[in-house]
Amino acid sequence: VKLDTFASEVNKSQKNRILEINAKAVYFFHQFLLEMSASRGARDYLKRRELKQETIEEWKVGFIPEQWDLLTQYLLKKGNSVDDLIASGLTIKKDNGGFYDRFRGRIMFPLWDTHGNIVGFTGRVLVETEKSGGKYVNTPQTLVYDKSRVLYGLNKAKLEIKSKDVTVLVEGQMDVIACHQAGMKNVVASSGTALTFEQIKLLKRYSNNIAIAFDVDIAGQNASKRGIDLALEQGMSIKIIQIPVGAGKDADECIKKDKNG
């Protein structure tokens, strides 16, 4: 029993250290986006996506340039151990013993749990190349991040979901941010995957009603169907929001085409 208690205490203290590392990383990414000349391309991209300055600040959107270990070096200088950086998912260990950043050349979106802790990140590549390794990269499973238990934006949307008695579920981070910026604040994202049992349990705390507005592509439709089946099993009431033909492929595009709709 003593051993178990000791193990859970060690786990708990590393959890806290990872949460601190994530908070420092958010500050780094966000300040880099706002202040560094190397972020001009990222700032231009966000301007094209029509994000206001206050929205960027509210959602702590950030940027990391295409360098191998910029964040790792910053966090090491802040007194964090490399073992904790690896445990946070922000740093990857090379086979030859060196280290490099998981996120490079990406617009950074912090991921919060319902209590407002930063538990992980999604990085969207700014300039796609053969080496960029996928349009989106996410924090892997860690002591503080389990993607099946997190819904993007729920920490900001939960009160509005309760008062409107409906959750609007979209696919991506930009969809959520665009909706909130337009004043529709009961919107969260499943980040392009089907709803999980744990996510449905979370949503049920605030409302039994879900309106799903996934992308109109095949992947979006498949994710939507799997999520619907599970939600219905859990006694949720489901509606599908169909984006009209020509009105955009997702919520973000739809809002841009018709801000008053």
Side-chain angles (χ1 to χ4, degrees), residues 122-143:
T122 292
R124 186 203 187 280
V125 72
L126 185 61
V127 180
E128 284 187 70
T129 66
E130 283 176 25
K131 294 178 185 173
S132 55
K135 191 173 179 180
Y136 292 94
V137 167
N138 297 303
T139 293
Q141 182 98 3
T142 69
L143 282 175

Side-chain angles (χ1 to χ4, degrees), residues 114 153-167 180 185-188 205-207:
T114 46
L154 185 56
N155 61 310
K156 295 180 187 292
K158 59 188 181 182
L159 295 179
E160 192 79 357
I161 289 169
K162 213 167 190 173
S163 81
K164 289 221 162 83
D165 195 22
V166 63
T167 303
H180 279 247
K185 296 180 184 287
N186 58 333
V187 180
V188 301
R205 289 184 197 170
Y206 308 105
S207 172

Side-chain angles (χ1 to χ4, degrees), residues 232-247:
L232 287 172
E233 281 171 29
Q234 300 305 312
M236 302 287 274
S237 168
I238 308 287
K239 285 182 179 166
I240 303 295
I241 298 172
Q242 276 201 313
I243 296 171
V245 176

Side-chain angles (χ1 to χ4, degrees), residues 115-126:
H115 309 296
N117 298 309
I118 292 152
V119 291
F121 297 89
T122 292
R124 186 203 187 280
V125 72
L126 185 61

